[in-house]
């Protein structure tokens, strides 16, 4: 059940009579105090309100909750400000939805705005101004905006009269009108950071937690150095200053100095006794705060919870602590602050570095691990005259030196200095075991490191000098790393930021580096990730691959013979999980290193070449992949022999790349040979044999032998289900392939049922963006189109196209497949202009990438000709169809289903041009062949029969036409079908 908005139906003596009872409050994050105040006033007036910070829980789907709230609301109360109309804010979605929904938008202006600062579609709406008013006037204006002004019944006051304000109700606890106070009188917070950006979610959560109770609420923000704890506290203090009467900032690094800082505040409040010492005055301050409302203490950089606890005030105020130390249990509510999310990083860089592209910003954010201090430092360096490429090069080669440079005003030290200080404190405090573990972690990857790796390899780690029988290791070493902000500790993992790792690696001597690298190899060799092709083992593989694919880790281990099989399996895992780019980069490094060390004919080098061919093909470079794959086949034949399983795998790969290049006959011939050899060498049910059986069935399908292909696919599917299970990726591939044959044979409902099941399973197992998932989605869309469900088909194709463009790029063959599919759906929907421009673009790209005679290129040419036909450009349509027909006859054969489709389509155009005799000459053999190949009741056969009947009727051969027309087609119009 949907959560009901908060609020009641009555207030003190007044009943809301307006029909609009449900109000959704739309605001920008920086205007949260306004949203709180508006929410409270509307609730007191009897409205039901929905405000994200109160009504949505952590973990809720933001988009889903927003859509639900907008759908249920009678009106959207929009708080107009410069922040509200800033680019890339969700507020745009909210007000656009309100305008689309009968215009139920109530605009409230909370700061002065010009018409130029408001979108044109909204500038004509009457707005109620709340800014600059006192609480009473603002409340009146707000309620008038919601249910209209009430005409006064008494004597109107003379404009020159003044009236004393009535006593205001106490507001010690509720949200205060943001404009009514401003900066409190008791205030010592330094100036606001004007470059602050992002962190809206964290600020919102912080505000909600601090308002969670009426007694003193203590909130600790903890995280590693440079993550922006102080900056968030500073922004909070400024943003919510009007909600407090006292805001006092204290440097709490030295806990024993707290009484001195408290005495300064006591003096400011006039409660300090000059003759008393700092401790009595501090106690007096604590006693004073127990009786006061609306105060905020910020204890910045506090590192010793036990020393701080006795000096924490009580009473109805707020205490905000920033700390590297996460151990505040029992003292404060804690929030583990992480690095920027990527969106915040991009926003910060694009706002701070004029002209930087999204691509460059993304590369920098990735290199810097989204660490706020590092991002602030790079802004200063780039502004001073260094190019982005030069900076990235130096970051890779001179990390520590580069990160020493900092003129960031709002951070007290550079990142390199921050790390140095923490490491020196770690060593000075005697945590040498923690320092050793930190050095080892610096040479692993920047992703979370499973603690079990260390536990398993403990006996092999020579750089760890603690007692091997210490039952508390590595916990005893990890805790200091967490306390000093050098590592993030989560359940069963720890993580060191990539820049901290880079700084540490440059500070370790070469002798120690060699020993640490041996320990890294030992730790990774002790890992047993499992089967790289089994989804149940993929979580372990994901963690392992994240480390071994890191360049400095790979450099340490690629010469270790015992790790080579696991590294190859890591490549296979990346390929199976759709990470083609990562697989390509990783296996390229392996292949180059092993070619130099082992030689190009070594079995491991050849396997790396095999995977390099796979990755190259997945990235869309089919011709480049063919060169690599055929070279591996030739070498394996020479070194291993024709029947070796690895040679046969290269044979299968060669067949696959020929197939993708549209060379179906050659691919089929090789499939027959490899399948026969695999059956003899490996047996009928070996997974490799089933791979070849499936490949041959797909070749049969593309050559037009649909019935035989279906029979073979059914057999492979049954065997894979028995051997691998229903949910194995190979089983799902067989089911998807079978559905394609069902579709081709005209069994659309059956094809739909299979594809929907496969799509659901692939989404669950592989994810929404996996190439196989998207392939199933595009196939299902084609079946939905065949069933005349064009709306659902279009929506699905548009989603696939957007994902493929983002993941693969505009020119990838899979992206072009999706664009072509969308173009023909648009044609079905008579959106001829959009369809034509899209298919023309696809045709240009396919000709350039695949060549003029590739079956996919011919399919696109065929589609463009059909669109021209629909646009009544019959002469050009005829010319193009004749060209496609000639090419298909040459490449696919005269009786291939696609060739027959070209002939049928050309006849349709000839009919419209009144060349009826030519049309009949084409249609008769097409009908004969379709009856023989597809059957009497196949939709394509019936369509050809109807087309022939219409043409015969046009030349007066009515009786003959009636005989054909008795078989009714599924589509009502004279026409053609495109795949």
């Amino acid at each position: 059940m949907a959560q009901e908005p908060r609020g009641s139906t009555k207030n003190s003596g007044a009943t809301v009579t307006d029909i609009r009872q449900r109000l959704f409050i739309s605001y920008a994050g920086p205007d949260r105090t306004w949203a709180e105040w508006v929410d409270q006033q509307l609730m007191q007036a009897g409205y039901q309100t929905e405000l994200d910070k109160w009504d949505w829980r952590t973990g809720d789907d933001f988009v889903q909750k927003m859509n639900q709230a907008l759908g249920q609301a009678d009106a959207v109360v929009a708080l107009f400000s410069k922040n509200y109309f800033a680019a890339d804010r969700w507020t745009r979605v909210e007000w656009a939805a309100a305008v689309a929904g009968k215009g139920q938008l109530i605009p409230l202006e909370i700061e002065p705005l010009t018409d130029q600062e408001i979108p044109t579609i909204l500038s004509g709406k009457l707005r109620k101004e709340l800014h600059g008013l006192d609480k009473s006037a603002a409340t009146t204006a707000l309620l008038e905006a919601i249910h209209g002004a009430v005409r006064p019944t008494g004597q109107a006051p003379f404009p020159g009269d003044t009236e004393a304000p009535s006593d205001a109700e106490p507001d010690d606890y509720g949200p205060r009108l943001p404009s009514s106070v401003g900066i409190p009188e008791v205030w010592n917070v330094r100036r606001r950071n004007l470059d602050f950006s992002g962190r809206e979610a964290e600020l919102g959560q912080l505000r909600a937690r601090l308002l969670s109770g009426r007694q003193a609420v203590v909130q600790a923000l903890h995280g590693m150095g440079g993550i922006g704890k102080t900056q968030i506290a500073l922004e909070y203090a400024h943003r919510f200053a009007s909600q407090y009467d006292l805001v006092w900032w204290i440097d709490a690094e030295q806990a024993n100095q707290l009484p001195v800082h408290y005495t300064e505040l006591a003096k400011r409040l006039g409660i300090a006794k000059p003759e008393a010492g700092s401790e009595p005055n501090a106690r007096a301050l604590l006693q004073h705060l127990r009786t006061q409302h609306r105060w905020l203490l910020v204890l910045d950089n506090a590192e010793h919870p036990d020393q701080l606890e006795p000096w924490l005030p009580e009473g109805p105020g707020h205490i905000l602590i920033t700390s590297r130390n996460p151990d505040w249990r029992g003292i404060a509510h804690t929030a583990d602050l992480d690095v920027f999310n990527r969106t915040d990083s991009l926003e910060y860089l694009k706002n701070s570095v004029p002209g930087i592209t999204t691509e460059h910003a993304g590369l920098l954010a990735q290199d810097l691990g989204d660490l706020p201090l590092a991002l602030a430092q790079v802004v200063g360096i780039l502004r001073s005259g260094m190019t982005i490429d030069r900076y990235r090069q130096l970051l890779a080669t001179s990390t520590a030196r580069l990160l020493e440079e900092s003129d960031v005003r709002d951070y007290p030290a550079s990142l390199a200095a921050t790390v140095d200080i923490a490491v020196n404190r770690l060593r000075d405090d005697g945590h040498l075991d923690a320092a050793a573990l930190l050095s080892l972690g610096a040479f692993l990857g920047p992703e979370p490191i499973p603690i079990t790796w260390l536990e398993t390899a403990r006996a092999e780690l020579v750089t760890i000098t603690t007692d091997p029988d210490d039952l508390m290791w590595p916990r005893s070493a990890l805790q200091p790393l967490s306390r000093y902000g050098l590592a993030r500790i989560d359940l069963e993992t720890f993580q060191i930021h990539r820049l901290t790792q880079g700084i540490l690696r440059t500070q370790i001597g070469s002798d120690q580096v060699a020993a640490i690298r041996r320990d890294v190899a030992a730790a990774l060799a002790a890992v047993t990730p499992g089967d790289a092709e089994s989804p149940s083992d993929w979580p372990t593989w994901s963690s392992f691959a994240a480390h071994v694919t890191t360049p400095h880790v790979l450099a340490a281990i690629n010469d270790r013979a015992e790790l080579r099989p696991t590294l190859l399996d890591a490549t296979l895992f990346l390929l199976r999980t759709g990470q083609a780019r990562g697989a390509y980069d990783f296996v390229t490094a392996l292949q180059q290193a092993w070619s130099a060390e082992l030689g190009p004919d070594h079995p491991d080098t050849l396997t790396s070449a095999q995977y390099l061919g796979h990755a190259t093909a997945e990235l869309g470079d089919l011709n480049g992949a063919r060169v690599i794959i055929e070279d591996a086949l030739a070498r394996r034949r020479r070194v291993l022999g024709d029947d070796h399983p690895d040679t046969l795998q290269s044979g299968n790969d060669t067949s696959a790349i020929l197939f993708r290049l549209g060379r179906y006959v050659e691919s089929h011939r090789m499939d027959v040979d490899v399948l026969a050899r695999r059956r003899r060498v490996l047996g009928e049910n070996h997974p490799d044999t089933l791979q070849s059986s499936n490949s041959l069935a797909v070749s049969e399908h593309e050559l037009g032998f649909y019935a035989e292909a279906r029979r073979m696919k059914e057999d492979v599917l049954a065997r894979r289900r028995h051997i691998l299970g229903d949910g194995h990726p190979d089983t799902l591939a067989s089911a998807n392939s079978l559905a394609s044959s069902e579709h081709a044979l005209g069994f659309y409902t059956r094809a739909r049922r299979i594809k929907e099941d496969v799509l659901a399973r692939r989404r669950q197992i592989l994810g929404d963006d996996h190439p196989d998932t998207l392939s199933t989605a595009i196939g299902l869309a084609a079946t939905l189109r065949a069933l005349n469900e064009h709306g659902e088909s279009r929506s699905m194709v548009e989603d696939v196209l957007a994902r493929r463009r983002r993941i693969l790029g505009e020119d990838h063959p899979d992206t072009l497949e999706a664009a072509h599919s969308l173009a023909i759906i648009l044609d079905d929907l008579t959106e001829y202009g959009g369809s034509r421009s899209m298919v023309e673009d696809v045709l240009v790209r396919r000709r350039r990438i695949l060549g003029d005679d590739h079956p996919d290129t011919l399919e696109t040419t065929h589609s463009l000709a059909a669109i021209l036909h629909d646009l009544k450009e019959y002469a050009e349509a005829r010319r193009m169809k004749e060209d496609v027909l000639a090419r298909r006859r040459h490449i696919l054969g005269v009786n291939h289903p696609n060739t027959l489709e070209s002939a049928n389509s050309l006849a349709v155009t000839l009919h419209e041009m009144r060349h009826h005799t030519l049309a009949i000459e084409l249609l008769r053999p097409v009908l004969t062949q379709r009856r023989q190949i597809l059957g009497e009741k196949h939709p394509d056969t019936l369509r050809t029969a109807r087309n022939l009947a219409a043409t015969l009727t046009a030349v007066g051969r009515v009786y003959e036409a009636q005989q054909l027309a008795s078989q009714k087609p599924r589509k009502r119009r004279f026409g053609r079908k495109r795949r």
Side-chain angles (χ1 to χ4, degrees), residues 561 564-565 568 590-591 594 598-599 601-610 636:
R564 286 201 296 265
L568 289 170
L590 291 180
Q591 211 268 339
W594 293 351
L598 307 173
D601 290 342
H602 188 280
D604 290 339
T605 307
L606 289 172
T607 302
S608 70
Q610 170 191 326
R636 279 175 162 170

Side-chain angles (χ1 to χ4, degrees), residues 487-502:
R488 178 188 180 98
I489 313 299
D490 291 312
L491 181 64
E492 299 187 346
T493 66
F494 73 101
Q495 183 176 16
I496 305 171
H497 192 273
R498 66 177 66 241
L499 296 182
T500 301
Q501 289 180 312

Side-chain angles (χ1 to χ4, degrees), residues 465-763:
T465 57
T466 55
D467 184 355
D469 296 325
D470 182 359
L471 299 179
M472 298 309 292
W473 191 91
R475 176 181 179 274
S476 59
L478 289 172
Q479 284 187 325
L481 297 184
S482 175
R483 188 162 65 248
Y484 289 87
L486 290 166
R488 178 188 180 98
I489 313 299
D490 291 312
L491 181 64
E492 299 187 346
T493 66
F494 73 101
Q495 183 176 16
I496 305 171
H497 192 273
R498 66 177 66 241
L499 296 182
T500 301
Q501 289 180 312
I503 293 168
L504 292 170
R505 287 197 301 271
T506 62
Q507 298 174 347
I508 298 174
S510 58
D511 291 344
Q512 190 178 2
V513 166
I516 292 173
R517 284 181 168 175
R518 286 194 293 273
D519 277 359
V520 167
L524 293 173
V527 180
T528 53
D531 183 357
E533 298 189 82
S534 173
S536 63
D537 290 329
W538 284 352
T540 306
W541 271 109
S542 179
S543 179
F544 184 83
H547 287 274
V548 298
T549 56
T550 305
H552 67 260
V553 177
L554 182 58
I557 62 175
N558 64 9
D559 61 344
R560 303 294 293 259
E562 72 275 17
L563 279 172
R564 286 201 296 265
T566 312
L567 296 180
L568 289 170
D569 280 348
T571 309
L572 182 59
F573 158 75
L574 293 172
L575 288 168
R576 290 294 180 263
T577 53
Q579 302 178 66
R581 172 54 62 185
Y584 177 87
D585 293 341
F586 180 58
V587 78
T588 296
L590 291 180
Q591 211 268 339
Q592 291 173 349
W594 293 351
S595 289
E597 178 188 354
L598 307 173
D601 290 342
H602 188 280
D604 290 339
T605 307
L606 289 172
T607 302
S608 70
Q610 170 191 326
Y611 292 156
L612 178 58
H614 290 184
T616 303
E618 291 303 311
L619 291 173
D621 182 7
L622 302 182
N623 288 305
R626 179 182 180 181
V627 172
I628 297 169
I629 290 169
E630 288 184 336
D631 179 71
L633 175 60
R635 291 178 184 276
R636 279 175 162 170
R637 278 175 170 166
R638 186 180 70 251
V639 175
L640 303 174
D642 290 346
D643 286 346
H644 190 281
D646 290 352
T647 306
L648 296 177
Q649 182 60 56
S650 283
N652 182 85
D653 296 346
T654 302
S655 168
I657 197 64
L658 290 172
F659 180 90
R660 295 179 71 169
L661 286 166
R663 305 179 70 156
Y664 299 145
V665 174
E666 295 173 67
S667 174
H668 182 271
R669 186 184 307 120
M670 182 159 282
D671 280 333
V672 171
D673 178 69
V674 173
L675 177 59
R677 293 174 185 273
R678 278 180 159 173
R679 280 174 171 164
R680 174 166 47 81
V681 174
L682 301 173
E684 192 77 40
N685 290 326
H686 190 281
D688 290 355
T689 306
L690 295 179
Q691 179 191 52
S692 286
S693 296
N694 190 70
S695 296
L696 180 58
V698 172
S699 292
E700 292 277 340
H701 177 101
E702 289 302 323
L703 290 173
F705 306 123
Y706 298 150
E708 178 60 17
R710 180 176 66 171
R711 185 197 63 76
M712 295 176 66
K713 290 176 181 181
E714 287 174 332
D715 178 70
V716 174
L717 177 59
R719 293 173 187 270
R720 279 180 163 171
R721 280 177 171 161
H722 176 70
I723 296 167
L724 303 174
D726 286 346
H728 192 281
D730 289 352
T731 305
L732 296 178
S734 279
N736 191 68
S737 184
L738 174 60
S740 298
S741 291
E742 298 285 7
H743 177 106
L745 288 167
F747 302 122
Y748 300 139
T749 301
R750 193 183 306 168
R752 175 181 185 172
R753 184 175 62 252
I754 298 172
K755 290 179 181 180
E756 286 178 337
D757 177 68
V758 172
L759 181 59
R761 291 174 183 269
R762 279 182 159 172
R763 281 176 170 162

